[in-house]
Amino acid sequence: MLRSSAVRFSHFLPSLLLLLAGLAAAYVKDLNVFFTSLFNVLPTLVLLLGGAYCAVYRRQRELFLMVTVYIAYFLLDTQTDYYRDNGKVREDAAVVFHLCCLLLPLLFGLFAAWQERTHLFQDMVARFAVLLAFGSVALGLEQSYPQALLMWLSEIRWPALHGAWMSLIQLSYPVFIASFLLLAWQYWRNPRPLHAAQLVGLLGLFWMLPKTFILPFTLNIMCSQVMLMIAAAVAHEAYQMAFRDELTGLPGRRALNERMQRLGRNYVLAMSDVDHFKKFNDTHGHDVGDQVLRLVASKLSKISGGGRAYRYGGEEFALVFAGKTLEECMPHLEVIRESIATYNIQLRNQDNRPQDDQQGRQRRAGSSASSVSVTVSIGVAERLEQRTPEEVLKSADQALYSAKGAGRNCVMAFGQNRRGAVRMDAAAG
């Protein structure tokens, strides 16, 4: 639970830092020439760099989110520039501002929830068509019926729900709330850095709009920060794809190799392997095999004693204990081995599996489910003088083979004989 909470917090952390930085910068009253010039070009610079980054990685949803934010920035920036230069607003300022307050959260929520499910080119054409349709209708109405559109937008439809604190048109608030709930539900269903960035970005836009004509450069700063949140989320997910195993959620082989270069002088490495996994896979199928790997990974991720679990490959996992000795690590390895051996895995009925995950969890232990159990063998080695991490890992792998030879379901240290292996059945005997 703690690790899950930490992972979710890491999803939000970059976006929250960017949001706080934007809020702090927006309230600075006296800006020197450098920052004034920077804020003038920052949104365009972020769009060009972030948009190119998203285009290279074919992240069209993120690209259209940036474009949506930038279009709103361009329309409102034209109005604020005129206001700063002339001391008064343009004649169309009210209708343009109200349209942005309505369409920005609507399109942001739409594109944020719109996942790529078709061919890339078809998806791009569909998104562009939606953006063009909304933009064309809004522009046509604004040019042909400006006063009627302004009255329709600014009308207070629900007097009982209207408060003096509301500085936006009443219609924009239910749109913001609906978009926020949609994105919150999306994150709850599929926690990802991108979904977290979309939520925080929407909050940033909600704060920004009422301050557009009040705080100088608020528009420039917050639009840039929201686009940076999206670009940072893409980078975060690219890092996860490179360093985190998709099936188990554990850090992968590349993350292990990087960690091994920063272990210091004292450390312990362990290699763990699911016993008889190939036979188990052939008997129950690959879906059940994946379920077992996720269960073992979940157990190993909770290793105590300062250990960190990694997916090494196949059914093998690595455990890293930095700054520890072999004697300190062995009890923790034995605890995790026993917790896996004594856990009954409820097999899911694929033919009658509920679509909803919560219902699936409630029914998993029902009468229609069968249960199995698996065991793991663990080999462990400690860093000695003049030994590299690769050599220590190789020694742990040799100890793993010794544990297999000792009957499996045991923890064996490098150089330990079979009599010294820690086994559940031997302890019970």
Side-chain angles (χ1 to χ4, degrees), residues 195-210:
H195 296 162
Q198 292 168 350
L199 272 172
V200 179
L202 187 64
L203 291 176
L205 296 176
F206 180 73
W207 175 87
M208 173 197 75
L209 287 171

Side-chain angles (χ1 to χ4, degrees), residues 32-290:
N32 58 34
V33 178
F34 171 77
F35 284 104
T36 301
S37 303
L38 176 63
F39 291 149
N40 280 326
V41 301
L42 189 59
T44 303
L45 185 62
V46 172
L47 176 68
L48 291 176
L49 296 179
Y53 183 65
C54 293
V56 168
Y57 284 97
R58 299 181 179 181
R59 304 291 289 264
Q60 297 189 144
R61 173 165 50 161
E62 295 82 348
L63 176 60
F64 274 85
L65 282 173
M66 290 187 179
V67 170
T68 300
V69 173
Y70 188 83
I71 290 174
Y73 157 76
F74 176 79
L75 294 173
L76 295 176
D77 186 59
T78 303
Q79 302 291 338
T80 56
D81 283 346
Y82 185 89
Y83 177 74
R84 281 195 294 264
D85 294 339
N86 299 278
K88 60 180 182 179
V89 297
R90 286 174 41 166
E91 293 182 359
D92 62 345
V95 67
V96 170
F97 179 73
H98 293 338
L99 278 173
C100 289
C101 292
L102 179 64
L103 294 181
L104 178 57
L106 177 63
L107 290 174
F108 190 91
L110 175 63
F111 286 134
W114 185 346
Q115 300 184 26
E116 300 92 337
R117 295 187 181 278
T118 59
H119 190 274
L120 286 175
F121 180 74
Q122 295 176 348
D123 182 82
M124 182 183 69
V125 170
R127 291 174 191 270
F128 182 76
V130 169
L131 189 61
L132 183 63
F134 274 96
S136 300
V137 171
L139 180 61
L141 292 174
E142 192 273 334
Q143 292 293 319
S144 302
Y145 311 100
Q147 291 302 318
L149 179 61
L150 179 60
M151 292 180 61
W152 185 83
L153 289 171
S154 57
E155 179 184 353
I156 298 177
R157 291 166 173 78
W158 309 285
L161 300 177
H162 189 74
W165 57 270
M166 293 182 176
S167 51
L168 303 177
I169 57 173
Q170 194 180 55
L171 272 178
S172 67
Y173 290 97
V175 176
F176 265 109
I177 293 172
S179 296
F180 183 83
L181 293 176
L182 176 63
L183 299 186
W185 177 80
Q186 180 180 240
Y187 180 82
W188 180 77
R189 293 277 295 179
N190 185 16
R192 288 175 52 185
L194 173 64
H195 296 162
Q198 292 168 350
L199 272 172
V200 179
L202 187 64
L203 291 176
L205 296 176
F206 180 73
W207 175 87
M208 173 197 75
L209 287 171
K211 311 292 184 182
T212 299
F213 291 95
I214 301 175
L215 294 177
F217 298 106
T218 296
L219 179 68
N220 306 57
I221 294 170
M222 193 52 64
C223 285
S224 301
Q225 297 299 84
V226 172
M227 290 189 287
L228 280 173
M229 292 176 197
I230 297 169
V234 174
H236 192 172
E237 294 192 349
Y239 175 88
Q240 284 190 330
M241 285 189 288
F243 289 90
R244 190 167 292 276
D245 177 62
E246 184 177 3
L247 175 65
T248 63
L250 292 178
R253 181 78 169 268
R254 184 175 296 179
L256 173 64
N257 293 337
E258 186 177 276
R259 182 70 180 92
M260 286 170 58
Q261 306 307 314
R262 310 190 310 272
L263 285 175
R265 296 178 59 84
N266 300 315
Y267 55 87
V268 172
L269 300 180
M271 289 294 294
S272 175
D273 183 274
V274 181
D275 296 328
H276 302 295
F277 184 73
K278 185 179 184 303
K279 181 179 178 181
F280 185 92
N281 226 10
D282 294 340
T283 302
H284 298 283
H286 292 288
D287 290 338
V288 176
D290 289 346

Side-chain angles (χ1 to χ4, degrees), residues 13-29:
L13 182 59
S15 299
L16 288 174
L17 291 176
L18 286 170
L19 178 63
L20 292 176
L23 294 176
Y27 281 103
V28 175
K29 294 183 179 179

